Amino acid sequence: AKELGKNNFQFYSEALNTNSLERLSLESSLRSALEHNEFRLYYQPKRRMSNGEVTGMEALLRWEHPELGLVLPMQFIPLAEENGLIIPLGRWVFKTACQQNVTWQQQGYPPLTIAINLSARQFIDEHLLDDIKLALKETGMDPRLLEVEITESMVMRDLQQTIQILQSLKQMGVRVAIDDFGTGYSSLSNLKQFSVDTIKIDGSFIQDIVRSQEDQGLTEAIIAVGRSLGLTVVAEGVENSDQFEFLRRHFCDEFQGFYGNEPLTAEDFAQVVWKQANQ
Ligand code: C2E
Ligand code: CA
Ligand code: CA
Ligand code: CA
């Protein structure tokens, strides 16, 4: 039994060492990834429920790691939040997304809004507004084509600060979406005060919507709130026609998800959204 315990301990500590080593190497390669140009943006179309028309897109970050391949944000954004790298990385995202959007317009495609995700640390960063202004100025993108997505939990931290930031964004002409709506605790009066443009129903409500009466009720309630405040309501994570039909019947405005398109590279986006539509 003693022998076994020892072995177990050895396994355990080896596992721990591997994890902290992995973390260390992930952290250092994350730091150099920006210099080595290893980040990519994918673009997922947002479509109008009534006619399937593309109304805009969300930029989604990927890390093309030389050995690991494509790494999803879940695996590196929390780390980048912790060590502050999210700030320069976020700047790269603004700039790259705006540049891509301008390039598409220069190529003759119709203008579409582009949504960019902000994490908590970015949202309260004192240079946020300057960073966004700079990206718009450097690329020449129309601010009205930019939407920032912030989560419910982020806006509830400091109400006065949130109202101030959101007002400044509005003054610049930038649109604001509340992401993962329904998972946080923002009250209706807050929503009104924030003067946001869009709410995005969290994908977790959509997943079982065909079976779960609870999720159906919550989704209907969110749509009703959005409509009464005059906001655009977007459902995310829509994967099949049953989910789509439920949302359409209940007057959700727009949807995003694999049922429409998965996140696409810039080349695939142009191919799928514009070229196929004209064929
Ligand atoms: P999110 O903003 O809630 O993004 C939606 C996530 O759902 C994306 O995951 C997207 O790829 C995925 N998705 C889209 N359609 C479907 C579907 O039909 N079914 C399912 N199951 N999933 C779908 P992704 O790209 O892995 O991003 C995860 C999170 O990482 C995002 O959640 C967002 O919070 C964050 N993130 C992504 N890009 C950025 C960025 O540039 N900056 C910051 N700060 N955060 C980002
Ligand atoms: Ca989002
Ligand atoms: Ca979301
Ligand atoms: Ca989410």
Side-chain angles (χ1 to χ4, degrees):
K2 207 177 170 189
E3 209 63 66
L4 198 76
K6 218 172 169 182
N7 280 339
N8 277 347
F9 175 74
Q10 227 163 31
F11 277 125
Y12 186 55
S13 73
E14 248 165 36
L16 266 184
N17 279 335
T18 319
N19 279 337
S20 43
L21 266 180
E22 266 173 11
R23 198 199 137 102
L24 249 174
S25 77
L26 188 72
E27 173 139 24
S28 64
S29 52
L30 187 60
R31 283 189 183 284
S32 62
L34 205 52
E35 291 162 45
H36 295 148
N37 201 19
E38 290 169 8
F39 290 106
R40 306 281 178 265
L41 283 183
Y42 278 57
Y43 304 91
Q44 187 175 39
K46 243 185 328 187
R47 291 176 183 272
R48 192 169 287 128
M49 295 227 79
S50 56
N51 60 8
E53 198 178 59
V54 174
T55 58
M57 73 199 84
E58 177 178 6
L60 293 159
L61 188 59
R62 303 286 181 263
W63 177 13
E64 213 169 276
H65 190 284
E67 282 119 44
L68 300 174
L70 217 56
V71 185
L72 292 172
M74 208 179 82
Q75 290 168 275
F76 63 89
I77 292 221
L79 191 59
E81 273 270 297
E82 242 176 81
N83 67 19
L85 196 77
I86 193 70
I87 301 297
L89 182 53
R91 261 181 231 127
W92 180 87
V93 170
F94 292 139
K95 177 97 186 278
T96 306
C98 294
Q99 186 59 63
Q100 183 59 62
N101 209 27
V102 167
T103 300
W104 277 325
Q105 276 177 260
Q106 286 167 344
Q107 291 170 346
Y109 300 120
L112 289 176
T113 61
I114 188 159
I116 291 174
N117 291 285
L118 291 185
S119 59
R121 189 153 171 178
Q122 289 176 279
F123 186 61
I124 57 168
D125 184 72
E126 54 175 338
H127 303 299
L128 173 71
L129 296 168
D130 289 336
D131 287 348
I132 294 178
K133 274 184 202 152
L134 187 67
L136 290 168
K137 192 173 156 217
E138 283 182 342
T139 61
M141 193 177 89
D142 181 350
R144 289 167 301 182
L145 292 179
L146 180 63
E147 186 163 74
V148 296
E149 298 194 0
I150 54 181
T151 64
E152 254 190 303
S153 50
M154 280 157 55
V155 298
M156 294 308 292
R157 283 190 181 179
D158 181 341
L159 287 183
Q160 276 327 106
Q161 193 188 18
T162 295
I163 290 167
Q164 218 174 7
I165 297 169
L166 295 186
Q167 263 169 7
S168 309
L169 285 168
K170 183 133 234 166
Q171 270 160 20
M172 289 166 57
V174 173
R175 302 169 57 89
V176 176
I178 306 286
D179 205 353
D180 301 349
F181 193 82
T183 61
Y185 304 94
S186 65
S187 73
L188 298 186
S189 61
N190 290 143
L191 253 191
K192 206 176 155 190
Q193 264 184 304
F194 293 158
S195 60
V196 301
D197 303 282
T198 304
I199 50 181
K200 299 186 79 176
I201 307 172
D202 193 64
S204 63
F205 296 108
I206 309 303
Q207 206 170 350
D208 295 321
I209 201 159
V210 178
R211 277 183 304 262
S212 161
Q213 286 197 359
E214 203 174 70
D215 288 344
Q216 290 178 6
L218 285 165
T219 299
E220 288 175 53
I222 294 172
I223 294 172
V225 165
R227 290 186 83 80
S228 68
L229 292 173
L231 310 176
T232 301
V233 182
V234 182
E236 62 175 27
V238 178
E239 295 182 351
N240 58 53
S241 59
D242 289 342
Q243 296 166 337
F244 174 86
E245 278 309 322
F246 178 90
L247 292 159
R248 197 184 53 79
R249 275 203 315 276
H250 290 87
F251 304 107
C252 183
D253 298 304
E254 298 179 5
F255 77 102
Q256 216 183 313
F258 303 158
Y259 183 62
N261 305 92
E262 55 191 72
L264 303 164
T265 63
E267 294 73 39
D268 287 347
F269 190 95
Q271 199 66 35
V272 166
V273 170
W274 291 297
K275 302 218 170 111
Q276 273 177 11
N278 291 333
Q279 265 166 20

